[in-house]
Amino acid sequence: SSELTQDSAVSVALGQTVRITCQGDSLKTYYASWYQQKPGQAPVLVIYGKNNRPSGIPDRFSGSTSGDTASLTITGAQAEDEADYYCNSRDSSGALYVFGTGTKVTVL
Amino acid sequence: QVQLVESGGGVVQPGRSLRLSCAASGFTFSSYVMHWVRQAPGKGLEWVALISYDGGNKSYADSVKGRFTISRDNSKNTLFLQMNSLRVEDTSVYYCVRARAGFDIWGRGALVTVSS
């Protein structure tokens, strides 16, 4: 199965913008979805498809894809956005799924 | 409300078996593909397996293929994961997950510890 690679950690000043990337061959074919996970909690879906937010997810979260790289952007980061973020997609065969390595976002 | 509740976790010796269950409520269970995802302590998320609406199609991660079996009982709104030949490296929180566009509903997880 293919891999999805993310930066291990990024930091952002309160109110500023941060972009988290996810790179993998399968992203040339399949969209990524993005998940936020806070300590001791189950993950929460924040972006799916081309750039869709589930009900209840703030519009400061957005997604995009270019080539083999998917991105999650938080515009105007808030303290409550501090969490681990994971991308997810199908693998290159389309039959299996794979998660990214995860990015820890710190809001300063 | 829409809810997934896992059960069946615990401590088990290497080589033994365990079966996880996931009770679904608040939605039409038989209309959704379901997945299991796990997370080892302090580690990232790992996709484990999926099952189609009617149970006719199943897929597994290479790390569990041949040892784990996913199944469902749509009459009881329940998802299962039969785990055989357990290894120390299978120690994780196991999440039951509903999928539509993205993995949109997650259970709280069940901890499985494989240790002698």
Side-chain angles (χ1 to χ4, degrees), chain B residues 84-104:
Chain B
N84 297 333
S85 303
L86 281 161
R87 304 168 179 168
V88 171
E89 56 265 34
D90 294 321
T91 295
S92 291
V93 173
Y94 285 75
Y95 295 102
C96 167
V97 187
R98 187 184 86 168
R100 170 155 280 180
F103 294 5
D104 64 341

PDB file of all heavy atoms in Angstrom, chain B residues 84-104:
ATOM      1  N   ASN B  84      -7.407 -12.788  15.648  1.00  0.00           N
ATOM      2  CA  ASN B  84      -6.737 -14.038  15.999  1.00  0.00           C
ATOM      3  C   ASN B  84      -5.220 -13.862  15.949  1.00  0.00           C
ATOM      4  O   ASN B  84      -4.717 -12.902  15.357  1.00  0.00           O
ATOM      5  CB  ASN B  84      -7.152 -15.150  15.038  1.00  0.00           C
ATOM      6  CG  ASN B  84      -8.634 -15.460  15.105  1.00  0.00           C
ATOM      7  OD1 ASN B  84      -9.285 -15.249  16.135  1.00  0.00           O
ATOM      8  ND2 ASN B  84      -9.181 -15.955  14.009  1.00  0.00           N
ATOM      9  N   SER B  85      -4.523 -14.788  16.549  1.00  0.00           N
ATOM     10  CA  SER B  85      -3.043 -14.769  16.545  1.00  0.00           C
ATOM     11  C   SER B  85      -2.510 -13.387  16.889  1.00  0.00           C
ATOM     12  O   SER B  85      -1.659 -12.830  16.184  1.00  0.00           O
ATOM     13  CB  SER B  85      -2.525 -15.210  15.171  1.00  0.00           C
ATOM     14  OG  SER B  85      -3.001 -16.491  14.824  1.00  0.00           O
ATOM     15  N   LEU B  86      -3.008 -12.843  17.977  1.00  0.00           N
ATOM     16  CA  LEU B  86      -2.645 -11.473  18.343  1.00  0.00           C
ATOM     17  C   LEU B  86      -1.165 -11.360  18.690  1.00  0.00           C
ATOM     18  O   LEU B  86      -0.555 -12.280  19.253  1.00  0.00           O
ATOM     19  CB  LEU B  86      -3.512 -10.998  19.505  1.00  0.00           C
ATOM     20  CG  LEU B  86      -4.924 -10.560  19.074  1.00  0.00           C
ATOM     21  CD1 LEU B  86      -5.874 -10.537  20.259  1.00  0.00           C
ATOM     22  CD2 LEU B  86      -4.876  -9.203  18.394  1.00  0.00           C
ATOM     23  N   ARG B  87      -0.610 -10.202  18.344  1.00  0.00           N
ATOM     24  CA  ARG B  87       0.806  -9.917  18.572  1.00  0.00           C
ATOM     25  C   ARG B  87       0.920  -8.698  19.491  1.00  0.00           C
ATOM     26  O   ARG B  87       0.001  -7.878  19.580  1.00  0.00           O
ATOM     27  CB  ARG B  87       1.491  -9.615  17.238  1.00  0.00           C
ATOM     28  CG  ARG B  87       1.342 -10.710  16.191  1.00  0.00           C
ATOM     29  CD  ARG B  87       1.789 -10.218  14.834  1.00  0.00           C
ATOM     30  NE  ARG B  87       1.675 -11.274  13.804  1.00  0.00           N
ATOM     31  CZ  ARG B  87       1.773 -11.042  12.498  1.00  0.00           C
ATOM     32  NH1 ARG B  87       1.993  -9.816  12.053  1.00  0.00           N
ATOM     33  NH2 ARG B  87       1.659 -12.051  11.652  1.00  0.00           N
ATOM     34  N   VAL B  88       2.056  -8.547  20.114  1.00  0.00           N
ATOM     35  CA  VAL B  88       2.286  -7.394  20.987  1.00  0.00           C
ATOM     36  C   VAL B  88       2.037  -6.093  20.213  1.00  0.00           C
ATOM     37  O   VAL B  88       1.468  -5.135  20.747  1.00  0.00           O
ATOM     38  CB  VAL B  88       3.713  -7.441  21.552  1.00  0.00           C
ATOM     39  CG1 VAL B  88       4.050  -6.143  22.268  1.00  0.00           C
ATOM     40  CG2 VAL B  88       3.876  -8.630  22.494  1.00  0.00           C
ATOM     41  N   GLU B  89       2.439  -6.086  18.950  1.00  0.00           N
ATOM     42  CA  GLU B  89       2.300  -4.865  18.138  1.00  0.00           C
ATOM     43  C   GLU B  89       0.866  -4.554  17.741  1.00  0.00           C
ATOM     44  O   GLU B  89       0.593  -3.525  17.122  1.00  0.00           O
ATOM     45  CB  GLU B  89       3.182  -4.939  16.889  1.00  0.00           C
ATOM     46  CG  GLU B  89       2.962  -6.142  16.006  1.00  0.00           C
ATOM     47  CD  GLU B  89       3.930  -7.283  16.309  1.00  0.00           C
ATOM     48  OE1 GLU B  89       4.318  -7.463  17.497  1.00  0.00           O
ATOM     49  OE2 GLU B  89       4.284  -8.008  15.345  1.00  0.00           O
ATOM     50  N   ASP B  90      -0.082  -5.436  18.077  1.00  0.00           N
ATOM     51  CA  ASP B  90      -1.498  -5.140  17.852  1.00  0.00           C
ATOM     52  C   ASP B  90      -2.100  -4.302  18.986  1.00  0.00           C
ATOM     53  O   ASP B  90      -3.256  -3.889  18.905  1.00  0.00           O
ATOM     54  CB  ASP B  90      -2.304  -6.432  17.707  1.00  0.00           C
ATOM     55  CG  ASP B  90      -1.949  -7.234  16.456  1.00  0.00           C
ATOM     56  OD1 ASP B  90      -1.728  -6.601  15.406  1.00  0.00           O
ATOM     57  OD2 ASP B  90      -1.860  -8.472  16.553  1.00  0.00           O
ATOM     58  N   THR B  91      -1.314  -4.070  20.035  1.00  0.00           N
ATOM     59  CA  THR B  91      -1.796  -3.242  21.146  1.00  0.00           C
ATOM     60  C   THR B  91      -2.158  -1.857  20.640  1.00  0.00           C
ATOM     61  O   THR B  91      -1.318  -1.148  20.084  1.00  0.00           O
ATOM     62  CB  THR B  91      -0.707  -3.136  22.236  1.00  0.00           C
ATOM     63  OG1 THR B  91      -0.488  -4.429  22.809  1.00  0.00           O
ATOM     64  CG2 THR B  91      -1.122  -2.153  23.321  1.00  0.00           C
ATOM     65  N   SER B  92      -3.412  -1.484  20.814  1.00  0.00           N
ATOM     66  CA  SER B  92      -3.926  -0.226  20.277  1.00  0.00           C
ATOM     67  C   SER B  92      -5.307   0.079  20.839  1.00  0.00           C
ATOM     68  O   SER B  92      -5.971  -0.821  21.379  1.00  0.00           O
ATOM     69  CB  SER B  92      -4.074  -0.291  18.744  1.00  0.00           C
ATOM     70  OG  SER B  92      -2.848  -0.343  18.073  1.00  0.00           O
ATOM     71  N   VAL B  93      -5.737   1.307  20.648  1.00  0.00           N
ATOM     72  CA  VAL B  93      -7.154   1.639  20.748  1.00  0.00           C
ATOM     73  C   VAL B  93      -7.764   1.367  19.379  1.00  0.00           C
ATOM     74  O   VAL B  93      -7.225   1.835  18.360  1.00  0.00           O
ATOM     75  CB  VAL B  93      -7.367   3.106  21.152  1.00  0.00           C
ATOM     76  CG1 VAL B  93      -8.844   3.470  21.081  1.00  0.00           C
ATOM     77  CG2 VAL B  93      -6.818   3.358  22.551  1.00  0.00           C
ATOM     78  N   TYR B  94      -8.854   0.604  19.364  1.00  0.00           N
ATOM     79  CA  TYR B  94      -9.525   0.256  18.113  1.00  0.00           C
ATOM     80  C   TYR B  94     -10.816   1.070  18.001  1.00  0.00           C
ATOM     81  O   TYR B  94     -11.672   1.002  18.883  1.00  0.00           O
ATOM     82  CB  TYR B  94      -9.822  -1.239  18.073  1.00  0.00           C
ATOM     83  CG  TYR B  94      -8.596  -2.066  17.806  1.00  0.00           C
ATOM     84  CD1 TYR B  94      -7.642  -2.281  18.798  1.00  0.00           C
ATOM     85  CD2 TYR B  94      -8.348  -2.612  16.542  1.00  0.00           C
ATOM     86  CE1 TYR B  94      -6.486  -3.008  18.545  1.00  0.00           C
ATOM     87  CE2 TYR B  94      -7.201  -3.349  16.291  1.00  0.00           C
ATOM     88  CZ  TYR B  94      -6.285  -3.533  17.294  1.00  0.00           C
ATOM     89  OH  TYR B  94      -5.133  -4.261  17.043  1.00  0.00           O
ATOM     90  N   TYR B  95     -10.913   1.828  16.912  1.00  0.00           N
ATOM     91  CA  TYR B  95     -12.076   2.659  16.661  1.00  0.00           C
ATOM     92  C   TYR B  95     -12.960   2.035  15.585  1.00  0.00           C
ATOM     93  O   TYR B  95     -12.468   1.595  14.537  1.00  0.00           O
ATOM     94  CB  TYR B  95     -11.663   4.047  16.172  1.00  0.00           C
ATOM     95  CG  TYR B  95     -10.910   4.895  17.154  1.00  0.00           C
ATOM     96  CD1 TYR B  95      -9.532   5.053  17.071  1.00  0.00           C
ATOM     97  CD2 TYR B  95     -11.589   5.586  18.165  1.00  0.00           C
ATOM     98  CE1 TYR B  95      -8.847   5.867  17.958  1.00  0.00           C
ATOM     99  CE2 TYR B  95     -10.907   6.396  19.055  1.00  0.00           C
ATOM    100  CZ  TYR B  95      -9.535   6.526  18.945  1.00  0.00           C
ATOM    101  OH  TYR B  95      -8.865   7.330  19.836  1.00  0.00           O
ATOM    102  N   CYS B  96     -14.239   2.061  15.832  1.00  0.00           N
ATOM    103  CA  CYS B  96     -15.263   1.709  14.855  1.00  0.00           C
ATOM    104  C   CYS B  96     -15.643   3.014  14.153  1.00  0.00           C
ATOM    105  O   CYS B  96     -15.858   4.039  14.829  1.00  0.00           O
ATOM    106  CB  CYS B  96     -16.444   1.106  15.610  1.00  0.00           C
ATOM    107  SG  CYS B  96     -17.988   0.916  14.712  1.00  0.00           S
ATOM    108  N   VAL B  97     -15.710   2.994  12.814  1.00  0.00           N
ATOM    109  CA  VAL B  97     -15.894   4.239  12.072  1.00  0.00           C
ATOM    110  C   VAL B  97     -16.920   4.061  10.961  1.00  0.00           C
ATOM    111  O   VAL B  97     -16.860   3.083  10.211  1.00  0.00           O
ATOM    112  CB  VAL B  97     -14.562   4.705  11.448  1.00  0.00           C
ATOM    113  CG1 VAL B  97     -14.733   6.081  10.824  1.00  0.00           C
ATOM    114  CG2 VAL B  97     -13.446   4.733  12.474  1.00  0.00           C
ATOM    115  N   ARG B  98     -17.834   5.022  10.857  1.00  0.00           N
ATOM    116  CA  ARG B  98     -18.785   5.052   9.762  1.00  0.00           C
ATOM    117  C   ARG B  98     -18.182   5.850   8.616  1.00  0.00           C
ATOM    118  O   ARG B  98     -17.516   6.869   8.841  1.00  0.00           O
ATOM    119  CB  ARG B  98     -20.086   5.724  10.214  1.00  0.00           C
ATOM    120  CG  ARG B  98     -21.217   5.677   9.201  1.00  0.00           C
ATOM    121  CD  ARG B  98     -22.428   6.432   9.687  1.00  0.00           C
ATOM    122  NE  ARG B  98     -22.364   7.854   9.374  1.00  0.00           N
ATOM    123  CZ  ARG B  98     -23.397   8.688   9.478  1.00  0.00           C
ATOM    124  NH1 ARG B  98     -24.566   8.234   9.912  1.00  0.00           N
ATOM    125  NH2 ARG B  98     -23.272   9.961   9.177  1.00  0.00           N
ATOM    126  N   ALA B  99     -18.441   5.429   7.396  1.00  0.00           N
ATOM    127  CA  ALA B  99     -17.879   6.135   6.250  1.00  0.00           C
ATOM    128  C   ALA B  99     -18.968   6.486   5.249  1.00  0.00           C
ATOM    129  O   ALA B  99     -19.805   5.662   4.898  1.00  0.00           O
ATOM    130  CB  ALA B  99     -16.816   5.282   5.567  1.00  0.00           C
ATOM    131  N   ARG B 100     -18.923   7.717   4.817  1.00  0.00           N
ATOM    132  CA  ARG B 100     -19.734   8.138   3.678  1.00  0.00           C
ATOM    133  C   ARG B 100     -18.774   8.949   2.807  1.00  0.00           C
ATOM    134  O   ARG B 100     -17.989   8.379   2.055  1.00  0.00           O
ATOM    135  CB  ARG B 100     -20.940   8.949   4.116  1.00  0.00           C
ATOM    136  CG  ARG B 100     -21.658   9.610   2.947  1.00  0.00           C
ATOM    137  CD  ARG B 100     -23.102   9.894   3.225  1.00  0.00           C
ATOM    138  NE  ARG B 100     -23.887   8.689   3.055  1.00  0.00           N
ATOM    139  CZ  ARG B 100     -25.217   8.649   3.240  1.00  0.00           C
ATOM    140  NH1 ARG B 100     -25.854   9.721   3.643  1.00  0.00           N
ATOM    141  NH2 ARG B 100     -25.879   7.536   3.045  1.00  0.00           N
ATOM    142  N   ALA B 101     -18.786  10.231   2.927  1.00  0.00           N
ATOM    143  CA  ALA B 101     -17.749  11.062   2.313  1.00  0.00           C
ATOM    144  C   ALA B 101     -16.775  11.368   3.444  1.00  0.00           C
ATOM    145  O   ALA B 101     -17.006  12.266   4.228  1.00  0.00           O
ATOM    146  CB  ALA B 101     -18.337  12.328   1.736  1.00  0.00           C
ATOM    147  N   GLY B 102     -15.731  10.617   3.516  1.00  0.00           N
ATOM    148  CA  GLY B 102     -14.858  10.702   4.683  1.00  0.00           C
ATOM    149  C   GLY B 102     -15.350   9.801   5.802  1.00  0.00           C
ATOM    150  O   GLY B 102     -16.470   9.286   5.761  1.00  0.00           O
ATOM    151  N   PHE B 103     -14.520   9.656   6.796  1.00  0.00           N
ATOM    152  CA  PHE B 103     -14.879   8.848   7.983  1.00  0.00           C
ATOM    153  C   PHE B 103     -15.595   9.800   8.935  1.00  0.00           C
ATOM    154  O   PHE B 103     -14.946  10.484   9.730  1.00  0.00           O
ATOM    155  CB  PHE B 103     -13.617   8.267   8.610  1.00  0.00           C
ATOM    156  CG  PHE B 103     -12.895   7.253   7.755  1.00  0.00           C
ATOM    157  CD1 PHE B 103     -13.282   6.959   6.467  1.00  0.00           C
ATOM    158  CD2 PHE B 103     -11.790   6.578   8.271  1.00  0.00           C
ATOM    159  CE1 PHE B 103     -12.617   6.025   5.693  1.00  0.00           C
ATOM    160  CE2 PHE B 103     -11.110   5.626   7.502  1.00  0.00           C
ATOM    161  CZ  PHE B 103     -11.524   5.356   6.215  1.00  0.00           C
ATOM    162  N   ASP B 104     -16.925   9.836   8.880  1.00  0.00           N
ATOM    163  CA  ASP B 104     -17.625  10.956   9.492  1.00  0.00           C
ATOM    164  C   ASP B 104     -18.068  10.730  10.930  1.00  0.00           C
ATOM    165  O   ASP B 104     -18.292  11.700  11.654  1.00  0.00           O
ATOM    166  CB  ASP B 104     -18.814  11.400   8.631  1.00  0.00           C
ATOM    167  CG  ASP B 104     -19.893  10.333   8.503  1.00  0.00           C
ATOM    168  OD1 ASP B 104     -19.589   9.141   8.761  1.00  0.00           O
ATOM    169  OD2 ASP B 104     -21.020  10.690   8.129  1.00  0.00           O
TER     170      ASP B 104
END
